[in-house]
Amino acid sequence: MNARTARRKRIIRVRSVEHQMAEANLARANGELANLVELAKRLETLRVDLAMAKGAVAGRALNSMGELAMRLDIAQESLTAPLSNASERRDQAGVLVQSAMVKEESAVRLYERSRKAAQIEQERRDDANRPHRPRTGMRLRLIEGGAS
């Protein structure tokens, strides 16, 4: 393995680590987004389940339910910005994963090309260093007294 092939092999290792890191970041972003979506769903179900009781209701209970509904609405509204930010981070992480994968595949192709070129060059050098052997099979011999 020559220096160029060794360098390209090191580049492959770096690119594969970058790709793994990008995939880990994407998984983290997906988890974060899933947590926020689950939280939004729970807030929505709490708000829907907060129904007014039929019949006579005490004023304090009605006031408490109204305040709880208001707080749930505020929490749900304040969750929209983190949801959109998490979605944006997930999209950016996806783009980075694609980019890292392309770079890794490119490095692998360059390594394979360099390895094949080094192998061909080594075969050429081996052939050049081989001692010369005269061919014995097709040599013409002059016979004494033969055609002049």
Side-chain angles (χ1 to χ4, degrees), residues 78-138:
S78 65
L79 198 59
T80 57
L83 267 172
S84 65
N85 290 340
S87 177
E88 186 177 322
R89 279 193 304 272
R90 192 232 7 226
D91 294 342
Q92 289 174 350
V95 168
L96 289 176
V97 165
Q98 290 293 327
S99 173
M101 185 176 64
V102 166
K103 287 180 180 179
E104 183 182 10
E105 290 172 351
S106 174
V108 168
R109 283 193 304 271
L110 284 173
Y111 168 74
E112 288 298 323
R113 189 181 314 152
S114 175
R115 188 182 56 79
K116 286 178 184 175
Q119 183 180 8
I120 290 170
E121 180 66 19
Q122 187 60 39
E123 288 173 1
R124 188 188 65 78
R125 287 181 181 194
D126 289 346
D127 288 344
N129 291 336
R130 191 170 292 139
H132 175 70
R133 293 186 205 153
R135 296 183 187 174
T136 57
M138 296 288 292

Side-chain angles (χ1 to χ4, degrees), residues 140-148:
L140 295 175
R141 292 186 207 145
L142 293 176
I143 301 173
E144 288 183 31
S148 35

Side-chain angles (χ1 to χ4, degrees), residues 9 18 28 64 76 95 135 142 144-145:
K9 193 167 189 170
E18 287 175 351
R28 189 178 313 117
S64 295
Q76 198 167 15
V95 168
R135 296 183 187 174
L142 293 176
E144 288 183 31

Side-chain angles (χ1 to χ4, degrees), residues 36-47 76 79:
L36 288 173
V37 166
E38 180 63 30
L39 182 61
K41 285 181 183 177
R42 284 195 320 220
L43 285 174
E44 181 65 29
T45 56
L46 281 174
R47 179 67 172 103
Q76 198 167 15
L79 198 59

